[in-house]
Amino acid sequence: MKFRLAAFWIAVLLTPSARAVDSFVVPNASEAVEGDSNNSIPFSSMGGNTRYQQVYLDDDIPPGPFPIYGIAFRPNGAEPAQPSFSFQIPDVDIYLVTTEQSTNLSTTFGLNIGSDYTLVASGPLPVASAASGPGGGPLAFDIEVWFDQPFAYGGGNLLLDVVLPPYETSGSPIFDAVSNGPDPVARVFSAGINGGSFDATTGIVDTQGLVTKFMLVPEPAGAAIAAFTALAAL
């Protein structure tokens, strides 16, 4: 494991493409365009109790290797436009993993998971947005989820896996999403609002997905820690 991590960081430092961008959006075509759909799952689903997997095809991901330090979403900008909001999810586990599955995800969660399944964030999660941007969207990617540890992406289709136990909440903000036509995202989920649960082994598959931004540089406060981690791995 130590050798694999060291080799990864050496590749990151020596690969020009890994340093060429500090973020990317999937779908690429939605970076500056409002998505054609919207959804409240998983992070703002009312009452939580959700298992959610979303795949991102590698055609829309820059060539690796590189570390992923966090992800971000944006509120829905089209009607019904989402106003600003702020709340905290008391407990959530977030994983990233590469997967051999494409947009034809299995309804069985475990069959979508590859060998590099990594818990990148765990515990309380603040979820907030100023809902800033032009009328009709797209709004800013300000719903940020910074990881406790970066994910070492080396190539392939990427899978986000969220396990969200039940909790009490007074609202359910709407996120920007895509659903129509061929696109590089799809999902499988089991949500309490649809009669499912966070500990389900199977879910419902469809072609919808949240427009997602991936951060390839650490949160400013964590930059020194990330640099030390990279040097230690070397």
Side-chain angles (χ1 to χ4, degrees), residues 3-27:
F3 177 80
R4 186 180 71 83
L5 287 174
F8 170 78
W9 284 110
I10 290 172
V12 166
L13 295 173
L14 296 180
T15 304
S17 62
R19 304 191 302 270
V21 296
D22 59 11
S23 66
F24 64 92
V25 173
V26 183

Side-chain angles (χ1 to χ4, degrees), residues 53-76:
Q53 291 181 342
Q54 179 170 324
V55 67
Y56 306 85
L57 299 190
D58 61 356
D59 288 347
D60 262 29
I61 301 175
F66 50 75
I68 299 175
Y69 291 96
I71 53 178
F73 306 94
R74 62 191 183 197
N76 194 55

Side-chain angles (χ1 to χ4, degrees), residues 37-108:
S37 185
N38 60 78
N39 208 267
S40 64
I41 300 173
F43 296 109
S44 59
S45 57
M46 192 172 295
N49 197 19
T50 298
R51 176 77 182 271
Y52 179 95
Q53 291 181 342
Q54 179 170 324
V55 67
Y56 306 85
L57 299 190
D58 61 356
D59 288 347
D60 262 29
I61 301 175
F66 50 75
I68 299 175
Y69 291 96
I71 53 178
F73 306 94
R74 62 191 183 197
N76 194 55
E79 292 298 328
Q82 173 62 51
S84 61
F85 64 88
S86 178
F87 67 98
Q88 178 159 291
I89 295 172
D91 185 36
V92 62
D93 288 336
I94 302 172
Y95 301 82
L96 280 181
V97 62
T98 51
T99 179
E100 295 183 358
Q101 303 282 28
S102 183
T103 49
N104 58 335
L105 289 171
S106 171
T107 56
T108 301

